[in-house]
Amino acid sequence: MAAENHSPKVLIVGGGPSGLILALSLLHNGVPVRIIEKTSQPRLGQRGAGLMPRTLELFSYLRIVDDVTKIAIQTPRVRLYRMPGGVEVKHEFEMSPHQNPTPTHPYLNPLMLGQDRLESIFHKALASYGCSVELGTELKTFEQNEHHVRVKLVKESSSGGEGEHEEAEYDWMIGTDGARGVVRKQLGLSFLGETRNIENFIVGDIIVDGLAQKASLSHLWFIPLTSDPLCSIGICGGMSQTFSPAIRISLRGTETSNLFNFVVGGKNVNHAELSKDPDALRRCFMQNTGNRADLKFCNIPWMSHYTPNIRMVDKFGYGRVYIAGDAGHVHSPTGGQGVNTGIQDSFNLGWKLALVVKGIAPPSLLQSFSEERIPVIAEMINQTTKLLKRTLDNEPGVLKTNGTLYQLGVNYRWSSIVVDERKSIDAAREAEEDAYMEDYGFYSDDEEEKVDSYGEEHGGRLRAGDRAPDSSGLILQSSSPFSRKSFQLFQIFDAAHHTILIFSDIAKHLKVLQHASRYPESIIRTVVIIRSRTTLPSADVKYADYVFEDRDGHAYESYCPTNVCGVCIVRPDGVLGAIVKDSVGMHRYFQGIFGRV
């Protein structure tokens, strides 16, 4: 859906992945935006290169996943070298063992793609809507009232003199300008947490000649002591060198030949000084990879001194100004959650803000942005901080990716805007079973379900608030036997529609379809799903956008395994907003989203 051709309603401050995805989400919903970026040059380098399976799913909602998967690479195998020679392989293992896709999970393997190349895909998608990022444009101040946000901007001068000043008004403003950005600070939001000054890293990209050029390899060296003053450390408290490596060198292959993303770590390494001196850094690489004559460390396109900050807001904004991504949370890079979490922020906010801008939903809907995302962020920070500690302590197996980090279990079961009628029905059934078991002396545990935002303990039971599964093998019902094309649900779901899945033999599909026609046609999509080898009269499904035969039974198995509650509503961010019995439950859900309908 193209954005309407008039003045932007939303100003996005910050042109990183979170801001770009938010812009794409709003444009996909027909909402015009303006996106500005303080820096005057595009970002260089790999940076947040890890793309988790949940992120790839969301890219499919924006129809850009194929562009990403064409150039991204698999997570590389880790090759640990025996020191001091640095040539013999001591150990080699898969960081993320490959998994074959399933009918409900088409993306099960993390991918790696440099942030610069990822953002170029986003920019191309923005251009298809006639939108581009305004580089060299900085937000100085803003003020808001109940009707609009008034901003003061400065555009960088090409001649190096004083920039051009601009004042403008927007209905809404979103800050995706990072941890040091001005939006969160001027909005007065808390940013509580800590800075880990002792745990420093140098990160960047480097051209290396002579190293195995397979992009599928990540090379790792642990060195106890070096002679270069900028790299050397003392061994604290008489601890053996075996248990206190002075420096860690990691060189990860990328999608670009000879280009490696590097991390140099060590608690007492003089990171601040080393990151300012490329020649010293190259010496550091040479000395701490065994002084190998076959390796040549060349150009360093970018590098940075990184100190872990672990902080988050307690809400994402108020009034007409909100933040997303790193502007609201920073943490250790361990686990590869950062870019992925920011993208999920933007997906969660995008469809809600679009409805509010269009006047379809009340502004109060935006309160659910903080309600849903804050528990997820808190758990993400908890997991990445634990991983950081385990990494610094050199725990065995720490480099292997935990399945929860794929973010497929991230959920909003506790949200006030999700509706789950199946849960109460299942609970009643289980209570009957528990009562029966208690008669025979078995113990019944009636503990209330706890918030589990990363879905580690859900046991596979689908609830409202969970990720909506894919389903393959859906055959489009057609009058012509030659046009029975096979579909997946992920081809139907997108970032601009609520998709109502109606399982025909569980719910009264005709009545649900009739009631669904009361909602705005531009943001509702109806899908009737029938069992294999069955058909429905065309009169019964005349209001449906799609009618699919569930040839392989995957849709019924994943969405309605107990044949209870045959109406499932998938939100534009790929979350199951409702599991209900009929049109009454459907209306209750949409009342929570749209207000009065």
Side-chain angles (χ1 to χ4, degrees):
M1 180 187 298
E4 298 174 20
N5 187 23
H6 53 70
S7 300
K9 299 289 187 182
V10 180
L11 175 67
I12 299 174
V13 181
S18 297
L20 295 170
I21 286 294
L22 179 60
L24 283 172
S25 178
L26 290 169
L27 291 164
H28 195 70
N29 277 274
V31 174
V33 302
R34 179 183 183 186
I35 180 168
I36 63 172
E37 166 59 40
K38 177 181 177 180
T39 60
S40 57
Q41 298 294 327
R43 291 175 180 82
L44 292 175
Q46 292 283 305
R47 301 181 192 269
L51 298 174
M52 292 300 163
R54 181 54 177 160
T55 298
L56 298 174
E57 291 186 352
L58 296 178
F59 285 167
S60 75
Y61 284 45
L62 289 172
R63 310 301 185 236
I64 59 174
V65 68
D66 290 342
D67 294 330
V68 172
T69 56
K70 282 177 185 175
I71 59 175
I73 62 173
Q74 297 289 330
T75 303
R77 289 177 61 84
V78 177
R79 179 175 287 180
L80 176 62
Y81 293 90
R82 192 179 301 278
M83 300 305 293
V87 176
E88 181 185 352
V89 178
K90 180 179 180 181
H91 184 44
E92 188 169 314
F93 60 91
E94 293 284 358
M95 186 182 299
S96 301
H98 181 80
Q99 299 183 71
N100 292 323
T102 69
T104 55
H105 293 79
Y107 308 102
L108 276 173
N109 300 290
L111 297 179
M112 309 294 290
L113 183 63
Q115 187 173 326
D116 50 356
R117 299 194 70 182
L118 180 65
E119 289 187 9
S120 70
I121 293 173
F122 297 162
H123 285 291
K124 180 181 178 182
L126 282 175
S128 70
Y129 292 100
C131 180
S132 62
V133 179
E134 296 180 36
L135 298 176
T137 304
E138 179 181 2
L139 172 71
K140 286 297 187 181
T141 62
F142 69 87
E143 56 184 27
Q144 64 169 314
N145 57 38
E146 62 178 311
H147 300 295
H148 61 256
V149 183
R150 186 164 187 81
V151 301
K152 293 183 178 180
L153 310 175
V154 175
K155 298 181 181 179
E156 185 176 86
S157 171
S158 58
S159 63
E162 183 179 358
E164 176 187 349
H165 291 256
E166 177 189 357
E167 293 189 16
E169 287 184 355
Y170 298 91
D171 290 352
W172 301 87
M173 183 174 75
I174 312 298
T176 56
D177 49 346
R180 298 179 182 177
V182 301
V183 178
R184 184 196 70 248
K185 294 175 182 177
Q186 292 190 22
L187 199 55
L189 299 178
S190 64
F191 203 45
L192 301 179
E194 61 177 321
T195 299
R196 298 288 185 91
N197 289 313
I198 195 172
E199 298 155 355
N200 301 309
F201 304 93
I202 304 167
V203 296
D205 294 344
I206 186 170
I207 302 294
V208 183
D209 291 335
L211 195 59
Q213 296 305 320
K214 292 182 179 179
S216 57
L217 285 177
S218 182
H219 307 268
L220 192 61
W221 295 265
F222 284 177
I223 303 292
L225 193 63
T226 67
S227 59
D228 192 302
L230 291 178
C231 297
S232 62
I233 69 166
I235 303 301
C236 301
M239 185 180 293
S240 166
Q241 293 180 3
T242 303
F243 299 101
S244 182
I247 193 164
R248 303 171 183 84
I249 301 288
S250 169
L251 293 169
R252 174 182 59 79
T254 72
E255 71 278 2
T256 302
S257 179
N258 293 347
L259 180 69
F260 292 82
N261 179 248
F262 69 80
V263 178
V264 178
K267 290 186 177 181
N268 295 326
V269 172
N270 194 337
H271 303 82
E273 291 300 320
L274 194 59
S275 63
K276 297 176 184 177
D277 190 338
D279 289 333
L281 183 59
R282 280 186 280 265
R283 288 200 309 274
C284 178
F285 281 125
M286 196 69 186
Q287 294 172 356
N288 292 288
T289 56
N291 285 305
R292 293 169 52 171
D294 59 328
L295 298 185
K296 183 179 180 182
F297 296 95
C298 308
N299 184 44
I300 301 175
W302 76 276
M303 62 176 172
S304 177
H305 171 219
Y306 174 80
T307 299
N309 273 287
I310 303 169
R311 301 179 183 277
M312 65 177 288
V313 294
D314 59 0
K315 62 180 178 181
F316 278 104
Y318 60 87
R320 292 180 171 269
V321 181
Y322 286 82
I323 59 174
D326 288 352
H329 44 83
V330 291
H331 47 86
S332 163
T334 48
Q337 301 294 279
V339 167
N340 300 276
T341 302
I343 285 172
Q344 287 189 44
D345 286 349
S346 294
F347 259 92
N348 187 289
L349 176 60
W351 69 270
K352 297 172 183 177
L353 182 57
L355 292 178
V356 173
V357 170
K358 293 177 177 180
I360 297 173
S364 58
L365 177 63
L366 298 181
Q367 295 173 9
S368 67
F369 176 41
S370 293
E371 177 193 3
E372 293 183 343
R373 292 302 295 165
I374 289 296
V376 173
I377 301 306
E379 179 57 28
M380 179 271 294
I381 287 178
N382 177 51
Q383 294 212 21
T384 54
T385 302
K386 286 180 179 178
L387 277 173
L388 175 64
K389 183 179 185 303
R390 291 178 60 204
T391 300
L392 293 171
D393 290 343
N394 298 316
E395 286 191 22
V398 68
L399 293 178
K400 295 184 179 180
T401 304
N402 184 326
T404 62
L405 299 179
Y406 293 175
Q407 300 189 337
L408 294 169
V410 168
N411 68 94
Y412 311 128
R413 291 186 176 192
W414 61 88
S415 172
S416 62
I417 63 171
V418 304
V419 176
D420 195 331
E421 294 180 346
R422 183 187 295 160
K423 181 179 178 181
S424 59
I425 293 172
D426 286 348
R429 287 181 173 179
E430 290 170 2
E432 290 181 6
E433 293 173 0
D434 288 345
Y436 176 81
M437 298 298 284
E438 284 178 356
D439 287 342
Y440 288 88
F442 289 95
Y443 173 72
S444 175
D445 184 1
D446 295 326
E447 282 190 17
E448 184 178 348
E449 187 176 21
K450 297 178 181 178
V451 171
D452 179 16
S453 61
Y454 259 54
E456 295 186 74
E457 301 176 3
H458 286 170
R461 178 178 295 181
L462 190 67
R463 294 294 191 206
D466 289 353
R467 159 199 174 269
D470 194 9
S471 181
S472 60
L474 297 173
I475 306 300
L476 184 65
Q477 182 172 294
S478 170
S479 58
S480 170
F482 301 105
S483 62
R484 291 171 61 80
K485 182 181 177 182
S486 180
F487 282 82
Q488 296 174 244
L489 283 179
F490 277 13
Q491 293 175 280
I492 308 301
F493 300 158
D494 75 358
H497 293 85
H498 272 82
T499 304
I500 305 173
L501 304 177
I502 308 164
F503 292 83
S504 64
D505 62 335
I506 302 175
K508 296 179 179 178
H509 55 272
L510 181 57
K511 188 173 182 180
V512 173
L513 288 169
Q514 289 172 336
H515 282 262
S517 65
R518 300 166 56 184
Y519 306 119
E521 183 179 352
S522 62
I523 57 174
I524 298 294
R525 185 169 284 157
T526 52
V527 178
V528 175
I529 299 178
I530 60 179
R531 292 192 187 272
S532 181
R533 295 187 175 87
T534 60
T535 58
L536 290 175
S538 57
D540 283 6
V541 291
K542 62 181 179 181
Y543 299 111
D545 292 307
Y546 297 94
V547 180
F548 289 121
E549 176 192 342
D550 188 16
R551 181 186 59 190
D552 299 323
H554 299 310
Y556 268 88
E557 182 181 357
S558 56
Y559 281 92
C560 298
T562 59
N563 294 323
V564 174
C565 295
V567 180
C568 300
I569 305 174
V570 180
R571 305 186 335 187
D573 58 353
V575 170
L576 197 53
I579 302 176
V580 296
K581 294 183 293 184
D582 51 30
S583 58
V584 175
M586 177 181 69
H587 183 65
R588 183 157 67 96
Y589 169 73
F590 282 121
Q591 248 188 335
I593 302 298
F594 303 144
R596 291 191 175 185
V597 182

